[in-house]
Amino acid sequence: MAGDNLTIVVEFILLGFSEVPSLQGFLFCIFLIIYLGVLIGNGLLIVIIKMDPALQTPMYFFLGNFSFLEICYTSVTLPRMLADLWTQKRTISFLACAVQFCFLYMLGMAECLLLAVMAYDRYVAICKPLYYPLIMNQKLCVQLVVASWVIGVPVIIGETYQTFCLNFCGPNKLDHFFCDVAPILKLVCGDSYITEVSVQLSAFAYLLIPSLLILTSYVKIIITILNLPSSSGRTKAFSTCSSHLVVVGLFYGSGSIVYFQPKSSYSRGSLKVFSLFYATVTPMVNPLVYSLRNKDVIAVLKKLLHK
């Protein structure tokens, strides 16, 4: 208490699944399975890529980094959700909420950029195959991955500082599973319009720019593939891109619904469902998409199982 009528919020209460108390145990099991699926699926993909010399190519280098990023991304939210479901405590300190918010958006931004890098890699491989080894050399690959991880860090730290420096003096019940921007801004006392616009513009820029790069790359890829003389060549080229397109669609589709849905159409239930989808389900599905649709990965996996 800073005075008789002024309360300073020092912690938030994550409501999460509090409206269905009878399902807490069942939901704990479901999300534990999802988290184990993320760890095992993406971890196995990283091991397969590291172990087999045939997979030491730029495409699999980016895929391995993407799998590691997915593990980090889900580890920001899922362990906390599991702890809340197990203990029924649901409280998170102001600082812990800010840290979770910061890492969630830093890793989400890194994922957007890395997906764009992977699209560029496919563009060079299909549209400029003779120059592929020269352009996508090891130095450039490392630089692209490092840039994907760090380029958004200053922006997100600034957004986090701007958001959590707002005045939180009223209710502290956060109607979400983790510290996301929309439910946090609902608890702000006073005008948060400037912060809301700033966050929306940042999200728009970091979703729009990579998506335009991905779209441009795939337009050129499709034009090149359609001009290939043999049908087998077209099929092989399409198969190398289809997995990436599925992952891009899942991530960008659910993320766009959450962050660009008009305020007038906000639904508490739909917002939480789509947030859960892109934060938990998509990272679990990604290794399945890449492995089941990739003959090289399946062949290495069969060798490992045989051994």
Side-chain angles (χ1 to χ4, degrees), residues 24-36:
Q24 302 295 299
F26 174 74
L27 290 169
F28 175 84
C29 294
I30 292 295
F31 285 106
L32 180 61
I33 291 170
I34 289 174
Y35 189 46
L36 291 175

Side-chain angles (χ1 to χ4, degrees), residues 27 102 134 170 179 251 262 289:
L27 290 169
C102 186
L134 184 65
C179 293
F251 183 78
V289 171

Side-chain angles (χ1 to χ4, degrees), residues 105-106 109-110 113 147-158 206:
Y105 282 95
M106 279 197 298
M109 193 175 292
L113 295 171
S148 299
W149 278 84
V150 304
I151 200 169
V153 170
V155 177
I156 295 302
I157 290 175
Y206 278 98

Side-chain angles (χ1 to χ4, degrees), residues 51-234:
M51 285 185 62
D52 196 274
L55 301 183
Q56 304 306 306
T57 63
M59 182 178 79
Y60 292 106
F61 173 73
F62 295 132
L63 181 55
N65 278 276
F66 186 75
S67 294
F68 179 68
L69 178 59
E70 293 284 55
I71 291 173
C72 296
Y73 186 67
T74 50
S75 296
V76 173
T77 55
L78 268 175
R80 178 85 206 189
M81 286 173 56
L82 290 170
D84 290 344
L85 286 168
W86 182 260
T87 63
Q88 302 294 301
K89 189 179 177 184
R90 297 197 187 95
T91 58
I92 184 170
S93 70
F94 191 85
L95 178 60
C97 188
V99 170
Q100 187 185 64
F101 178 96
C102 186
F103 276 96
L104 181 71
Y105 282 95
M106 279 197 298
L107 294 169
M109 193 175 292
E111 186 159 347
C112 290
L113 295 171
L114 192 54
L115 285 170
V117 168
M118 294 168 75
Y120 174 71
D121 171 69
R122 291 298 81 210
Y123 158 72
V124 177
I126 293 172
C127 300
K128 300 182 179 182
L130 297 178
Y131 296 99
Y132 182 69
L134 184 65
I135 296 173
M136 301 304 295
N137 56 69
Q138 186 177 7
K139 182 180 178 182
L140 180 63
C141 291
V142 172
Q143 288 174 340
L144 289 172
V145 167
V146 171
S148 299
W149 278 84
V150 304
I151 200 169
V153 170
V155 177
I156 295 302
I157 290 175
E159 294 288 353
T160 304
Y161 178 79
Q162 185 180 8
T163 301
F164 285 86
C165 279
L166 294 170
N167 189 18
F168 295 91
C169 61
N172 66 337
K173 292 182 179 179
L174 204 63
D175 191 15
H176 211 35
F177 310 103
F178 47 85
C179 293
D180 208 351
V181 63
I184 288 173
L185 290 177
K186 286 181 181 179
L187 302 182
V188 173
C189 301
D191 187 18
S192 62
Y193 177 75
I194 294 175
T195 303
E196 287 182 36
V197 171
S198 175
V199 169
Q200 287 283 349
L201 288 175
S202 296
F204 183 73
Y206 278 98
L207 279 173
L208 180 66
I209 294 171
S211 62
L212 286 177
L213 291 172
I214 292 169
L215 181 63
T216 303
S217 296
Y218 274 102
V219 167
K220 293 183 177 181
I221 286 170
I222 291 170
I223 292 171
T224 302
I225 290 173
L226 293 176
N227 289 328
L228 291 175
S230 66
S231 59
S232 60
R234 288 194 292 270

Side-chain angles (χ1 to χ4, degrees), residues 255-293:
S256 299
I257 290 171
V258 172
Y259 293 109
F260 299 125
Q261 186 180 5
K263 262 193 167 183
S264 57
S265 63
Y266 266 169
S267 166
R268 190 179 66 140
S270 66
L271 177 69
K272 291 167 75 172
V273 167
F274 281 110
S275 295
L276 261 186
F277 186 82
Y278 82 79
T280 61
V281 178
T282 303
M284 182 184 69
V285 172
N286 289 348
L288 293 175
V289 171
Y290 276 111
S291 58
L292 293 177
R293 299 180 64 87

